[in-house]
Amino acid sequence: TELLHGYVMIFEHTGWIGTIGNIVHESTHLAHYVLQRAGLKLCKGSEEAFTYLIEETVENILKKVY
């Protein structure tokens, strides 16, 4: 499976809560795209893979933003 080479996430800082919401929203899109390309569809059996990837993505972004 060919995985993603790059992903651009653009968000406007509209306050702490709005920014976190946007980061989580876009990270969810990214997780869906990456895992779907790897052959996983969101279901009870794959839920943890999705949530771990979203968590890791959000934490990495927040480390760079804050």
Side-chain angles (χ1 to χ4, degrees):
T1 301
E2 184 181 333
L3 291 178
L4 189 65
H5 293 288
Y7 187 86
V8 175
M9 187 180 295
I10 299 173
F11 58 91
E12 181 179 351
H13 181 64
T14 57
W16 195 78
I17 293 173
T19 300
I20 300 298
N22 287 336
I23 291 170
V24 171
H25 177 96
E26 294 303 326
S27 296
T28 302
H29 285 301
L30 176 62
H32 181 262
Y33 176 81
V34 168
L35 294 178
Q36 185 178 41
R37 298 220 3 134
L40 287 174
K41 292 184 179 180
L42 181 57
C43 66
K44 189 163 182 66
S46 66
E47 182 180 333
E48 283 299 310
F50 277 85
T51 56
Y52 278 123
L53 181 54
I54 293 166
E55 177 183 5
E56 185 70 20
T57 303
V58 169
E59 287 179 0
N60 283 326
I61 292 168
L62 290 176
K63 287 176 188 174
K64 293 183 183 297
V65 173
Y66 293 104

